[in-house]
Amino acid sequence: MNKQAIPYKIYLKENEMPKQWYNVRADMKEKPAPLLNPVTHQPMSAEELSVVFCEELVRQELNDEDRYIDIPQEIQDFYKMYRPSPLVRAYCLEKQLDTPAKIYYKFEGNNTSGSHKLNSAIAQAYYAKKQGLKGVTTETGAGQWGTALSMACAYLGLDCQVYMVKVSYEQKPFRREVMRTYGASVTPSPSVTTEAGRRILKAHPGTGGSLGCAISEAVEAATSQDGYRYVLGSVLNQVLLHQSVIGVETKAALDQYGIVPDIIIGCAGGGSNLGGLISPFMGEKLRGERDYRFIAVEPASCPSLTRGKFVYDFCDTGMICPLAKMHTLGSNFIPSSSHAGGLRYHGMNSVLSQLYHEGYMEAVAVEQSLVFEAAVQFARIEGILPAPESSHAIRVAIDEALRCKETGEEKTIVFGLTGTGYFDMFAYEKYNNGEMKDYIPTDEELRRGLEKLPQLR
Ligand SMILES: *Cc1c(COP(=O)(O)O)cnc(C)c1O
């Protein structure tokens, strides 16, 4: 055990940075269920998936066997521009909370896109470029993924077409402009430029859109243009794989000081940052080497783990993407418009869904006013203005630290601080004005969302 004092920030040296991603599926006895063809309901073959996705990414998507996958040198070099990300000891927050708990956070907001999404964006853009494609299409919700992807595409000289959820397009003009500055074209979704968009507009006139709608549009745009493929910023297993760089770095940094966490907490939208952060630790738990508590934090207004069903569902509202077995609220579930806090996707990555189903991970749903309360508290004492998404994890980290105060336990808590909130000032404004409303869907509303689940043959 290393007796050195723990610094405020632990940074890995450049030569200590991960050279491989860790694939947690290799250590799962019960593998996540395969993606199914939305028409035949048969497992999607690599060939079928390659119509929509880049070839190497399809291989990664289907790879349940290899524990480690080499990070190509070019991606390692790109990572070096903004990684390693710091693992921060939240000494100031601990003192304010007067807790015996030790709190650490892994901060992924130190790049222009402002979130962890760049870790997968550069990988996906790299494989698209390597395949000789002209460009990629994608959706973006709050805009972090679109920003990250446009940065990666600009670096590699790829065309980038982004379908942006309409409410965000209108509420976050600066995000849109960052993407355009990096050379991306940005279309508000649903739009009339695709079949899927026109269909959704007809069924829900005036809708502010959803991630599910935007996905349908981006997939259609990819398959209707030569030399284009679709890329996705979350939910898929390949994204979780790329994001394992967060967890591998975290574990290496903790190991240097002999720190063993008790609780690891992350916010969960589609599951990629949480999955990436916990992966190497979950591997140890799955192999029976060590035990940890893992906590997924989701919004009470979009509670796919805590109140959804574990079934096959469409990944998109347009029902054209493959079916994934996951915790879902139904692909036509659109969270209340009073929900400002991000994490509005109806489903959850299938690896995390499976692990949750088997009891390896816990989940809690939190209301957004409590999330913003934690965000403001954190900003004032630790300095960083957190993204609303990240603040879900802050909320539960604080709650766990306060519990330690009651019991006197000196637990070590690690949470993922996925990004910064500079483009979320409308949401902060609502909170500061005391106008933020909490919305918890009724059982009846959830039932309606689950009505149109695909019936498997
Ligand atoms: C996209 C995003 C999330 C949620 O996505 P996951 O795939 O669940 O990680 C969380 N935090 C930030 C800052 C994001 O941009």
Side-chain angles (χ1 to χ4, degrees):
M1 178 76 132
N2 198 318
K3 288 268 160 49
Q4 279 167 276
I6 311 297
Y8 271 72
K9 290 197 179 95
I10 309 176
Y11 280 107
L12 298 180
K13 296 199 185 75
E14 209 166 282
N15 64 1
E16 295 166 343
M17 283 173 60
K19 295 183 174 54
Q20 294 176 315
W21 291 303
Y22 167 67
N23 181 10
V24 71
R25 285 169 279 164
D27 282 309
M28 292 169 71
K29 283 194 199 81
E30 201 66 50
K31 304 295 180 194
L35 293 170
L36 300 185
N37 181 302
V39 179
T40 64
H41 294 178
Q42 294 303 303
M44 293 286 284
S45 64
E47 220 179 346
E48 284 175 302
L49 285 168
S50 301
V51 177
V52 178
F53 299 110
C54 305
E55 282 154 23
E56 187 57 35
L57 294 169
V58 169
R59 272 192 281 280
Q60 294 181 356
E61 193 62 32
L62 299 177
N63 187 340
D64 289 348
E65 278 73 45
D66 296 321
R67 189 172 278 150
Y68 294 102
I69 293 174
D70 290 341
I71 305 175
Q73 189 59 49
E74 293 87 337
I75 300 177
Q76 286 188 44
D77 292 343
F78 187 88
Y79 279 167
K80 281 175 195 156
M81 289 197 282
Y82 70 100
R83 307 197 68 81
S85 71
L87 181 70
V88 186
R89 174 76 183 268
Y91 280 118
C92 303
L93 179 63
E94 287 172 18
K95 197 165 162 212
Q96 186 183 57
L97 296 174
D98 190 24
T99 172
K102 300 177 179 69
I103 308 173
Y104 296 83
Y105 57 90
K106 179 73 167 163
F107 179 47
E108 291 291 319
N110 265 337
N111 68 77
T112 296
S113 76
S115 82
H116 65 284
K117 296 215 170 59
L118 195 53
N119 301 333
S120 184
I122 186 60
Q124 299 193 45
Y126 168 80
Y127 292 119
K129 179 78 179 177
K130 206 167 155 220
Q131 196 177 319
L133 299 177
K134 280 187 236 167
V136 290
T137 71
T138 197
E139 81 296 329
T140 196
Q144 291 98 325
W145 167 245
T147 313
L149 187 67
S150 46
M151 286 175 71
C153 286
Y155 177 78
L156 294 166
L158 275 177
D159 184 35
C160 180
Q161 302 175 354
V162 181
Y163 286 84
M164 184 170 188
V165 176
K166 196 188 264 161
V167 276
S168 305
Y169 184 90
E170 286 159 3
Q171 283 188 359
K172 303 190 177 183
F174 290 167
R175 269 262 179 237
R176 183 183 75 209
E177 241 27 72
V178 176
M179 286 184 252
R180 289 177 5 116
T181 302
Y182 281 96
S185 58
V186 188
T187 308
S189 166
S191 77
V192 294
T193 66
T194 64
E195 192 68 44
R198 287 189 292 271
R199 210 159 9 98
I200 292 161
L201 279 173
K202 206 169 159 205
H204 308 271
T207 174
S210 70
L211 265 187
C213 302
I215 294 175
S216 305
E217 290 207 276
V219 170
E220 186 182 325
T223 50
S224 58
Q225 298 174 88
D226 261 351
Y228 282 76
R229 291 291 186 282
Y230 167 69
V231 294
L232 181 54
S234 183
V235 187
L236 296 175
N237 295 338
Q238 57 188 268
V239 185
L240 201 139
L241 174 73
H242 305 147
Q243 295 298 356
S244 71
V245 70
I246 303 172
V248 175
E249 274 187 15
T250 301
K251 186 152 177 9
L254 291 172
D255 284 349
Q256 287 188 355
Y257 289 87
I259 305 161
V260 181
D262 298 293
I263 309 174
I264 305 177
I265 300 167
C267 64
S272 73
N273 87 80
L274 172 68
L277 172 64
I278 70 175
S279 271
F281 303 95
M282 182 62 84
E284 290 183 301
K285 182 158 171 162
L286 288 166
R287 296 191 300 271
E289 295 165 8
R290 235 182 208 147
D291 198 14
Y292 301 98
R293 270 182 77 199
F294 301 105
I295 309 178
V297 191
E298 59 185 14
S301 57
C302 192
S304 51
L305 285 169
T306 51
R307 293 175 73 197
K309 277 191 175 168
F310 185 47
V311 289
Y312 268 103
D313 192 13
F314 295 97
C315 294
D316 63 321
T317 316
M319 307 182 185
I320 56 178
C321 287
L323 306 181
K325 189 171 181 196
M326 58 184 175
H327 264 273
T328 180
L329 298 167
S331 62
N332 63 343
F333 178 84
I334 297 182
S336 152
S337 59
S338 70
H339 171 70
L343 309 174
R344 33 171 55 235
Y345 186 63
H346 67 270
M348 184 58 59
N349 165 267
S350 58
V351 167
L352 289 184
S353 295
Q354 178 72 35
L355 291 169
Y356 176 66
H357 180 71
E358 290 179 58
Y360 285 103
M361 181 178 84
E362 306 163 34
V364 289
V366 289
E367 291 156 41
Q368 62 179 359
S369 55
L370 294 173
V371 167
F372 277 81
E373 184 189 285
V376 169
Q377 182 178 4
F378 185 83
R380 290 180 185 177
I381 196 71
E382 288 285 326
I384 296 169
L385 181 76
E389 294 90 343
S390 323
S391 306
H392 288 71
I394 300 176
R395 172 76 270 162
V396 172
I398 290 177
D399 291 345
E400 289 294 334
L402 291 175
R403 195 161 299 150
C404 289
K405 184 178 173 178
E406 278 170 29
T407 61
E409 286 171 294
E410 283 184 38
K411 294 224 161 109
T412 297
I413 299 168
V414 173
F415 73 90
L417 188 69
T418 50
T420 46
Y422 308 128
F423 292 104
D424 299 285
M425 297 324 287
F426 276 122
Y428 275 97
E429 182 186 29
K430 264 194 185 170
Y431 178 76
N432 293 332
N433 287 344
E435 292 162 357
M436 183 159 271
K437 289 195 184 67
D438 288 326
Y439 185 79
I440 302 180
T442 62
D443 288 342
E444 172 58 22
E445 277 166 284
L446 291 185
R447 197 189 54 72
R448 276 204 297 278
L450 291 166
E451 239 166 25
K452 287 190 189 143
L453 287 172
Q455 299 299 313
L456 289 198
R457 280 175 274 265

